[in-house]
């Protein structure tokens, strides 16, 4: 059975718009809260997913960084990544640039993102994800116009 999880961004929580959307439209999808610095968040994520496999992770911004790190450390357990304006351009991801992952990765990033530069994310994604689809969309960092139009039923199966 596929386990689905949404990982929110740095300044968000599990009561944000995206988490609420997933709980409403995809019952059973996990939408935990991740407070604290990256190391605490990753320890929390590891504990929550301990023993699980066939995992689909949706990560938004800093949550995209977390999902990517988890997938690189647990490639055999992750089925797919869906990254929304992922913060994979941050220094915390640099140690992972030498590692490659081959599971399907779908990235959605706004051309008007003024938080995480789209060019930096495209460059990193091309280095580390063998099987990725990059959707540059006419939107901002929060993907207000795009988020609900994403083919969630297809991506989450």
């Amino acid at each position: 059975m596929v386990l689905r999880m949404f990982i929110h961004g740095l300044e968000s929580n599990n009561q944000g718009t995206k988490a609420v959307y997933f709980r409403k439209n995809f019952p059973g999808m996990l939408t935990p809260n991740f407070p604290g610095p990256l190391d605490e968040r990753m320890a929390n994520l590891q504990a929550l997913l301990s023993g699980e496999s066939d995992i689909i992770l949706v990560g938004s911004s800093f949550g995209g960084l977390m999902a990517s790190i988890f997938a690189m450390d647990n490639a055999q357990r992750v089925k797919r990544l869906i990254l929304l304006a992922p913060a994979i351009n941050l220094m915390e991801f640099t140690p992972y640039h030498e590692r490659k992952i081959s599971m399907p990765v779908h990235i959605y990033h706004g051309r008007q993102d003024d938080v995480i530069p789209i060019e930096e994310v495209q460059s990193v994604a091309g280095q580390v994800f063998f099987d990725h689809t990059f959707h540059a969309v006419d939107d901002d960092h929060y993907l207000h116009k795009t988020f609900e139009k994403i083919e969630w039923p297809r991506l989450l199966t």
Side-chain angles (χ1 to χ4, degrees), residues 108-127:
Y108 294 83
H109 204 108
R111 290 186 192 94
Q112 292 81 40
D113 190 329
D114 59 0
V115 177
I116 298 175
I118 190 172
E119 298 82 11
E120 293 178 17
V121 171
Q122 283 176 312
S123 174
V124 173
Q127 294 173 39

Side-chain angles (χ1 to χ4, degrees), residues 19 21 24 33 43 47 116 122 130:
Y21 172 87
K24 177 182 175 192
N33 197 33
I116 298 175
Q122 283 176 312
F130 283 130

